[in-house]
């Protein structure tokens, strides 16, 4: 509903209600103007508009649609404890003034009816607006988390492409230059070919450094998993993390980084394919390996295998490069990702 249509609907509903009670003339026109102004300004000053609607409701006994509209908008805009305190105080003052007016009016309705009206017209809209705001914030954080993972995947894809294409070409240049050096060439050309070979090797080394920077930007490790879980919880997900065995430092940076990426990818898939479902992260320290697993109930169809998505495929390669194994178990009720990572680089080298 557009803003103009909302204002028109509120004005028509509340002025019709007041007109039905016998109010007319300039009083009705002034009231309609106040409702229009309050509804128009509630986007900029939501709490002031809500307070004005409370006053109008006390003075006229109407403003039912205005109370619901401004209450929902104020609940949606609550962002600090101060907003909650101010709104609660205004609501308490309104209830006290309403009950006092009911007691002093002969033949008025029962107090419990007035309280029920307050709950329906003010408290429920406030709670509804607050709930909608929280859901939108949860979805925003969820989208930001997924977008961050997509950026990481894209960076890894670029790193793989650079390594496979440019690295291969530079290696060919270096090999061909070395082959020319051993051939029958004049001394001047031999030096030029040598310089070409040195340049190709330097370019390959620089490319290797750039690729490593793209692959391991900020290089998060096992110790950063708790922070990753905390960020995911802040985004609205329900995550439980458990640790078993005696934790020891992972001496291989690749294995430590791969453990972090396993949890990161598992949380991302859980948030994407099973939003709102509880997620379980487990770190099991064995004598010679670390078992990392992420489990979540299935509410949408997940990737069928580790090769079914670019994220899981890249994760499988990363774990294998650290000498470990990655397994994905897409069951009918749970989606389970588990990785085994060796605790020592020597074991990683043996495994590869």
């Amino acid at each position: 509903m557009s803003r103009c249509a909302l204002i028109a609907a509120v004005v028509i509903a509340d002025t019709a209600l007041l007109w039905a009670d016998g109010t007319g003339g300039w009083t009705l026109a002034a009231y309609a103007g106040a409702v229009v102004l309050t509804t128009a300004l509630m986007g900029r000053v939501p709490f002031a508009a809500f307070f004005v609607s409370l006053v109008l409701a006390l003075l006229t006994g109407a403003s039912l649609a205005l109370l619901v509209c401004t209450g929902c908008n104020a609940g949606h805009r609550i962002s600090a404890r101060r907003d909650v305190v101010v709104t609660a105080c205004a609501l308490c003052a309104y209830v006290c003034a309403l009950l006092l007016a009911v007691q002093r009016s002969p033949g008025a309705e029962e107090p419990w009816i007035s309280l029920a009206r307050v709950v329906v017209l003010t408290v429920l809209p406030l709670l509804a607006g607050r709930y909608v705001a929280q859901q939108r914030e949860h979805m925003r954080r969820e989208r930001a988390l997924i977008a961050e993972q997509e950026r990481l995947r894209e960076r890894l894809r670029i790193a793989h492409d650079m390594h496979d294409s440019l690295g291969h070409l530079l290696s060919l240049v270096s090999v061909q230059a070395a082959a020319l050096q051993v051939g029958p060439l004049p001394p001047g050309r031999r030096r030029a070919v040598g310089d070409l070979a040195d340049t190709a090797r330097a370019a390959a080394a620089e490319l290797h450094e750039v690729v490593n920077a793209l692959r391991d930007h900020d290089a998060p490790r096992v110790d950063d998993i708790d922070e990753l879980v905390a960020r995911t919880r802040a985004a609205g997900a329900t995550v439980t993390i458990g640790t078993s065995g005696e934790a020891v430092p992972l001496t291989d940076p690749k294995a430590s980084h791969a453990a972090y990426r396993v949890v990161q990818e598992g949380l991302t898939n859980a948030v994407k394919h099973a939003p709102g479902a509880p997620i379980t992260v487990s770190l099991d320290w064995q004598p010679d390996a670390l078992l990392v697993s992420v489990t979540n109930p299935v509410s949408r169809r997940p990737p069928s295998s580790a090769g079914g998505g670019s994220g899981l495929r890249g994760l499988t390669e990363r774990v294998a490069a650290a000498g470990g194994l990655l397994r994905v178990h897409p069951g009918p009720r749970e989606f389970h990702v588990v990785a085994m990572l060796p605790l020592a680089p020597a074991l990683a080298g043996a495994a590869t």
Side-chain angles (χ1 to χ4, degrees):
M1 180 181 292
S2 65
R3 192 172 191 83
C4 293
L6 177 64
I7 294 175
V10 173
V11 172
I12 292 173
D14 282 343
T15 52
L17 180 62
L18 196 61
W19 177 77
D21 288 340
T23 304
W26 289 106
T27 302
L28 187 63
Y31 173 77
V35 173
V36 170
L37 184 61
T38 303
T39 310
L41 293 178
M42 70 178 183
R44 296 184 178 180
V45 282
F47 300 106
F50 179 61
F51 302 155
V52 171
S53 68
L54 293 177
V55 174
L56 289 176
L58 281 174
L59 295 177
T60 64
S63 303
L64 305 186
L66 185 63
L67 278 176
V68 173
C69 187
T70 57
C72 186
N73 185 65
H76 190 273
R77 300 288 289 273
I78 289 177
S79 59
R81 185 175 299 178
R82 176 178 59 88
D83 299 334
V84 176
V85 173
V86 171
T87 305
C89 291
L91 196 57
C92 290
Y94 169 70
V95 171
C96 293
L98 182 63
L99 292 178
L100 185 61
V102 167
Q103 290 179 355
R104 291 185 176 182
S105 300
E109 61 187 11
E110 294 293 332
W112 67 270
I113 298 179
S114 300
L115 290 177
R117 184 182 292 113
V118 169
V119 171
V120 172
L121 298 177
T122 59
V123 177
L124 291 183
L126 283 169
L127 295 178
R130 187 62 191 144
Y131 175 77
V132 171
Q134 289 177 339
Q135 288 299 108
R136 288 183 177 178
E137 179 65 16
H138 167 69
M139 293 178 62
R140 185 192 66 79
R141 292 181 178 178
E142 196 173 86
R143 286 194 297 267
L145 179 64
I146 294 175
E148 179 184 357
Q149 305 313 313
E150 292 297 333
R151 286 194 296 270
L152 290 174
R153 291 175 184 175
E154 181 64 15
R155 184 161 56 239
L156 288 175
R157 186 191 66 80
I158 294 173
H160 282 297
D161 289 346
M162 290 181 62
H163 182 271
D164 294 340
S165 60
L166 296 180
H168 176 68
L169 293 176
L170 289 174
S171 297
L172 288 179
V173 171
S174 179
V175 170
Q176 291 171 353
L180 288 174
Q181 275 186 295
V182 299
L185 289 176
R189 291 187 178 182
R190 188 181 302 276
R191 284 193 301 270
V193 171
D195 294 338
L196 176 62
D198 294 338
T199 302
R201 285 191 290 268
E206 186 173 347
L207 174 64
H208 183 69
E209 293 180 1
V210 173
V211 169
N212 284 339
L214 286 171
R215 284 178 173 173
D216 298 323
H217 179 67
D218 293 336
R221 302 291 186 241
V222 171
D223 296 337
D224 300 316
I225 290 179
D226 289 336
E227 182 181 353
L228 173 64
V229 170
R231 290 201 306 269
T232 308
R233 286 172 179 165
T238 303
V239 186
T240 303
I241 182 169
T243 304
S244 59
E246 183 179 356
V248 296
L250 280 173
T251 55
D252 185 5
K254 290 184 179 180
S256 184
H257 185 52
Y260 178 91
R261 293 303 185 197
V262 168
V263 177
Q264 188 179 52
E265 182 68 23
L267 293 176
T268 302
N269 282 338
V271 169
K272 181 184 298 184
H273 297 289
I279 309 169
T280 302
V281 178
S282 175
L283 302 178
D284 183 12
W285 296 90
Q286 301 289 332
D288 58 352
L290 169 63
L291 299 181
V292 183
S293 65
V294 181
T295 306
N296 62 275
V298 174
S299 62
R300 300 180 187 174
R301 182 176 179 82
S304 58
S305 67
S310 59
L312 289 175
R313 182 168 57 249
L315 187 63
T316 302
E317 296 174 359
R318 182 180 291 277
V319 172
L325 296 173
L326 180 74
R327 292 292 180 267
V328 179
H329 305 282
R333 296 184 178 180
E334 286 188 339
F335 189 71
H336 188 61
V337 179
V338 60
M340 185 280 294
L341 293 162
L343 297 183
L347 295 177
T352 56

